[in-house]
Amino acid sequence: ICAINDSSNVIDRILLAPNLESQTFTFPKPFVGEGVRLNPGAIGVYHVNYVNEEMIAGIKTALSTGHLTVRDAMGLMLDFFALARAGYMSIVSVLSVLPSLKSQQSFQVWSIVLSGLAQIRLLLEENNIPMVKYNSFVVDLLSDVYSKLGWESQAGTETKQEAHNNRMLRPLVMSVLGKAGHT
């Protein structure tokens, strides 16, 4: 268990009981008020279901302010989409977290998010559900990332690592925006 915005600020360590399908923890009120996150560094082989809206609100804030490492943001997105696929978290709850990522520039995080969104798109298409609101959501979600990436690489203005990240992220974002009808 760590502070919501700092994986190095470990509050407590709990060993999960072996062979349990699930395990529930109750935190004293001061922990919830400060904001806690489970599985810092995403090293545990399990998914965390943040059922408390206070905790999800804290995660949204930590994501939107960039206080989480790429690894932690990836772990949270993997948890949210896996729990939604399994029916333990609503798709609406997952979608409500995604706008917190608008300033995120990591290919690794966006590849997880866009993979999850592709699964949602497929579900909507297979059930003949109109795509207008979904497409609008996707365009709004990715417009800041696309604006920063641009159509072409900005040679000389990026570090080597940023250039590599952007080279992978640009076609992914452009493809999803194209499917959503962005012009």
Side-chain angles (χ1 to χ4, degrees):
I1 303 169
C2 69
I4 195 118
N5 60 359
D6 183 3
S7 292
S8 65
N9 184 2
V10 176
I11 297 168
D12 198 2
R13 294 184 191 278
I14 298 172
L15 184 61
L16 298 175
N19 302 324
L20 284 182
E21 193 170 298
S22 69
Q23 193 165 348
T24 303
F25 300 99
T26 304
F27 298 104
K29 202 63 168 156
F31 282 145
V32 174
E34 293 171 13
V36 296
R37 195 165 35 87
L38 304 176
N39 199 12
I43 58 171
V45 186
Y46 54 87
H47 293 294
V48 178
N49 189 356
Y50 294 95
V51 295
N52 181 315
E53 285 302 318
E54 258 183 273
M55 294 178 89
I56 291 176
I59 289 169
K60 288 178 185 179
T61 301
L63 286 167
S64 66
T65 56
H67 283 109
L68 296 181
T69 64
V70 168
R71 186 178 188 172
D72 284 326
M74 289 171 57
L76 287 166
M77 292 304 104
L78 286 168
D79 284 349
F80 290 156
F81 280 109
L83 291 164
R85 279 192 307 277
Y88 290 104
M89 187 175 201
S90 78
I91 291 174
V92 173
S93 293
V94 175
L95 293 175
S96 76
V97 173
L98 300 185
S100 305
L101 294 169
K102 283 186 173 187
S103 63
Q104 179 61 251
Q105 291 293 305
S106 166
F107 166 77
Q108 294 93 334
V109 174
W110 280 114
S111 66
I112 292 166
V113 170
L114 297 180
S115 174
L117 287 174
Q119 292 174 351
I120 293 170
R121 171 179 279 287
L122 185 61
L123 180 67
L124 295 173
E125 288 173 343
E126 286 179 350
N127 290 287
N128 296 317
I129 297 172
M131 302 295 291
V132 175
K133 287 183 180 181
Y134 173 83
N135 287 337
S136 177
F137 174 82
V138 169
V139 168
D140 182 59
L141 179 66
L142 294 174
S143 59
D144 289 350
V145 176
Y146 175 69
S147 294
K148 289 176 186 167
L149 289 171
W151 183 259
E152 294 180 15
S153 175
Q154 294 134 28
T157 63
E158 304 169 319
T159 67
K160 188 175 180 180
Q161 185 176 355
E162 287 171 335
H164 177 69
N165 179 77
N166 293 348
R167 250 191 322 276
M168 294 188 303
L169 183 57
R170 186 176 289 107
L172 188 61
V173 168
M174 291 171 72
S175 172
V176 172
L177 283 172
K179 287 178 186 170
H182 183 266
T183 55

